[in-house]
Amino acid sequence: MTVAVWEAMRRRPVRFLFGAWPPRSWAFLLSGLVVGPVVLFVCAALLLVGVGLSVVGVGLLVLLTLAVVGIPVAALERRRLRLVEPEPLLDPHGSLPGTSALPWLRTRLRERATWRELAYTVLLGVVFTATGIGFAALLGLSLILTATPVIVWAIAPDTVMLVPGQPLSDPVAALPGSAAGLVGLVVSAYAGGLLAGVQVRTAQFLLAARDEDFSSRVIELTRSRARLVDAFEAERRRIERDLHDGAQQQLVALTMTLGLAELELRGQDSGAAPLVSRARDEARQALDQLRSLVRGIHPQVLTDHGLPAAVAELALRNPVPVTVDLDLPHRLPSAVETTAYFTVTEALTNASKHSGADQVSVVGRLRDDTLVLLVTDDGHGGADPEAGAGLQGLADRVAILKGRLIVTSPVGGPTQLRVEVPCSV
């Protein structure tokens, strides 16, 4: 990463002197003299209190507070750096909305960025504060020397001495001091740029987000997505179980009751018999629709007998003939079986509706602890995963399990879906 103030000094050193960079560098360094001592005092106080109270156990909490004190300081510094660095530094911490104090503290203590920010905080309170004081002294002396003629004129007839024993009688005699002050301002301009650049470079090294920070976020995001998928699957199974054991059984009982009522009314001269027969037919249709809905949510055969049996049942209900060849040595993890089943379901649905296929084949093998599924149809091809949400959604779902979905569908066919899902999940 480049340092903007150093680049300005290197490219146009003379223009730098008369531009906005020196005042911006001075503002940055002098504002650090306000932040640095406060940070140093807070850190020293927390350290002393924490060590002093460590014998009674409370000091541990104080020391933990000291460990994370760099987080707000770093957030302030990333804002203050905008005075001399147009490119903002990315926050290395992920957001934790709705997290209570203890989980927040535990998460932050595990992040390397927290300890880098603590190191920067110590440097800010000790090193940068000391250099800032030295720079402030140089700048202040240069300003005073530059304004010496005005000071001599303002306090006349009292005298001013730049050199002990040599009083200045009038403003003209103070002009050499003013010249020295101008030289000091030039030195302050370049020195301020150099010191500000050093602090910017340090902040870029310690406060900016690194690839490892983003990698940990990606890992946590993947884990959270996997947890969401697991929770969603558990909810699907609960709904399927409630429908199967509750509403479906009630509809079966209703159908039987209506059948008995129809038998009782048969042969009687009553207008109720046709209505009961019609109600029984509608109840049977509702039962068939409910069974189809239950199978679509999560088929019971998948839970009870595994993927080969579930795909075989799916093939029997498919309007296009399907040959199934799933040779698996054992049951697979539940998440893998569910993902594979719905992938085959989507592939068969697409083949039936869009491909114009006359034959579909489903082949599955377990290779090196990875399930490999091939779903091939002899349709006209041209399937585009980007054209619809179905295949793209399946690809995202497979990716959560660290697998991949490959679609090969040249115009004219055939179309093949290759699914590879690791079983060690």
Side-chain angles (χ1 to χ4, degrees):
M1 299 176 67
T2 61
V3 178
V5 63
W6 285 355
E7 286 295 310
M9 291 175 61
R10 183 180 64 84
R11 293 180 179 179
R12 295 187 177 92
V14 177
R15 186 174 178 179
F16 171 87
L17 186 62
F18 298 98
W21 282 109
R24 292 171 63 177
S25 301
W26 297 347
F28 176 72
L29 294 172
L30 294 178
S31 62
L33 287 180
V34 179
V35 179
V38 174
V39 168
L40 182 60
F41 174 79
V42 171
C43 290
L46 289 175
L47 181 61
L48 292 175
V49 174
V51 172
L53 297 179
S54 59
V55 293
V56 295
V58 181
L60 179 60
L61 296 177
V62 179
L63 292 177
L64 290 177
T65 303
L66 173 63
V68 298
V69 76
I71 296 177
V73 173
L76 174 62
E77 285 297 286
R78 278 188 284 267
R79 289 180 175 274
R80 202 169 64 86
L81 283 169
R82 299 299 299 276
L83 287 170
V84 290
E85 185 57 43
E87 187 69 24
L89 299 183
L90 297 179
D91 190 344
H93 298 288
S95 61
L96 299 172
T99 305
S100 58
L102 188 57
W104 181 90
L105 180 63
R106 185 166 53 247
T107 300
R108 292 299 183 239
L109 290 177
R110 291 175 179 172
E111 295 175 337
R112 295 182 181 179
T114 300
W115 302 102
R116 297 199 304 266
E117 290 171 341
L118 180 61
Y120 179 89
T121 301
V122 174
L123 289 175
L124 174 64
V126 179
V127 178
F128 295 142
T129 298
T131 56
I133 292 174
F135 172 78
L138 173 63
L139 180 61
L141 178 61
S142 300
L143 290 173
I144 292 174
L145 289 175
T146 304
T148 300
V150 178
I151 296 174
V152 171
W153 172 79
I155 67 173
D158 294 334
T159 59
V160 176
M161 288 187 295
L162 294 179
V163 179
Q166 298 183 10
L168 301 177
S169 58
D170 54 60
V172 176
L175 290 178
S178 183
L182 290 176
V183 173
L185 288 177
V186 172
V187 174
S188 298
Y190 292 114
L194 290 173
L195 291 175
V198 170
Q199 194 162 342
V200 169
R201 177 63 78 186
T202 305
Q204 290 174 346
F205 179 72
L206 294 176
L207 302 185
R210 298 182 181 180
D211 291 341
E212 62 189 38
D213 301 319
F214 291 116
S215 298
S216 62
R217 290 193 208 178
V218 171
I219 292 173
E220 180 58 31
L221 179 60
T222 302
R223 290 175 179 172
S224 65
R225 290 178 64 185
R227 290 193 294 268
L228 287 174
V229 170
D230 291 341
F232 178 66
E233 289 301 329
E235 184 66 14
R236 285 168 65 109
R237 293 189 180 189
R238 185 192 66 80
I239 295 173
E240 181 271 336
R241 184 174 59 252
D242 292 345
L243 291 176
H244 183 274
D245 298 338
Q248 184 171 300
Q249 298 303 322
Q250 291 178 1
L251 278 175
V252 170
L254 176 62
T255 303
M256 295 176 62
T257 302
L258 290 173
L260 294 174
E262 186 179 6
L263 289 176
E264 290 292 332
L265 294 174
R266 184 175 297 173
Q268 298 184 15
D269 187 12
S270 172
L275 293 177
V276 173
S277 177
R278 179 180 175 184
R280 184 186 179 193
D281 292 338
E282 291 179 352
R284 187 182 296 110
Q285 293 178 6
L287 180 60
D288 293 338
Q289 292 177 359
L290 182 60
R291 285 173 176 168
S292 177
L293 176 63
V294 169
R295 283 194 299 266
I297 293 175
H298 190 90
Q300 189 65 31
V301 66
L302 179 63
T303 302
D304 296 339
H305 303 288
L307 183 62
V311 173
E313 184 194 47
L314 189 64
L316 293 176
R317 294 185 283 107
N318 196 68
V320 177
V322 180
T323 58
V324 179
D325 181 13
L326 290 177
D327 186 10
L328 303 177
H330 52 76
R331 289 291 299 268
L332 305 179
S334 175
V336 175
E337 287 189 338
T338 302
T339 299
Y341 175 81
F342 284 106
T343 301
V344 174
T345 301
E346 182 70 20
L348 295 182
T349 301
N350 289 342
S352 303
K353 291 183 177 180
H354 308 298
S355 70
D358 297 322
Q359 184 70 32
V360 183
S361 66
V362 180
V363 179
R365 295 290 185 272
L366 195 62
R367 298 175 181 173
D368 298 329
D369 205 26
T370 298
L371 174 64
V372 180
L373 275 177
L374 297 176
V375 183
T376 308
D377 68 66
D378 59 357
H380 51 67
D384 183 8
E386 303 294 335
L391 291 177
Q392 186 61 51
L394 289 177
D396 294 339
R397 185 169 184 166
V398 170
I400 292 176
L401 299 180
K402 300 181 181 179
R404 61 176 182 170
L405 183 145
I406 303 172
V407 180
T408 304
S409 183
V411 177
T415 296
Q416 183 181 84
L417 269 70
R418 180 183 178 92
V419 181
E420 300 177 2
V421 184
C423 295
S424 56
V425 295

